[in-house]
Amino acid sequence: QVQLVESGGGLVQAGGSLKLSCAASGRTNDIDHMGWFRQAPGKEREFLGAVRWSFGNTRYPDSVTGRFAISRDIAKNTMYLQMNRLKPEDTAVYYCAAARYNGYAWDYWGQGTQVTVSS
């Protein structure tokens, strides 16, 4: 099992920045990819990006390319999401996830952290 804990959420003004963290514990050697998602009230969960854990290569959807960036610290078993030029529509609960085999089927999820962007 892998446990994931997000942190770093909060209230930020539009145009500001925020950096989220996702700390992994347990069977971290099983992790092949880690990713970020978000879900706003009444909306479906949205994929924000993923990193291949061992190699560090990342991928993002077009919707956040250029504003959001994923990084990781293998020694700390922690993934980060740097979010810049935030907009009120970025308000959501942000989740991290881990996959054992690829970056498309997610096996473990964190509990989420709230990000609120005020206008």
Side-chain angles (χ1 to χ4, degrees):
Q1 290 286 341
V2 174
Q3 293 78 43
L4 303 173
V5 178
E6 302 96 336
S7 61
L11 176 65
V12 62
Q13 287 190 334
S17 298
L18 206 59
K19 188 173 185 178
L20 306 182
S21 300
C22 173
S25 61
R27 296 178 62 90
T28 56
N29 287 339
D30 288 351
I31 297 174
D32 185 75
H33 280 76
M34 290 188 71
W36 286 99
F37 295 78
R38 69 184 178 189
Q39 189 164 22
K43 294 189 176 181
E44 294 186 353
R45 185 174 293 175
E46 179 184 6
F47 172 71
L48 300 176
V51 58
R52 191 172 182 188
W53 193 245
S54 295
F55 296 92
N57 44 313
T58 54
R59 61 184 176 92
Y60 306 94
D62 290 342
S63 58
V64 301
T65 297
R67 287 200 306 130
F68 290 6
I70 293 173
S71 60
R72 92 269 194 256
D73 185 332
I74 293 180
K76 295 182 178 180
N77 288 321
T78 300
M79 174 181 64
Y80 305 96
L81 179 66
Q82 177 68 47
M83 303 184 291
N84 301 319
R85 302 193 303 278
L86 285 163
K87 309 172 184 178
E89 50 265 43
D90 292 319
T91 295
V93 178
Y94 284 68
Y95 299 89
C96 65
R100 290 180 294 169
Y101 302 114
N102 57 53
Y104 297 94
W106 301 95
D107 301 292
Y108 307 102
W109 293 86
Q111 82 290 347
T113 185
Q114 176 71 46
V115 171
T116 302
V117 184
S118 63
S119 56

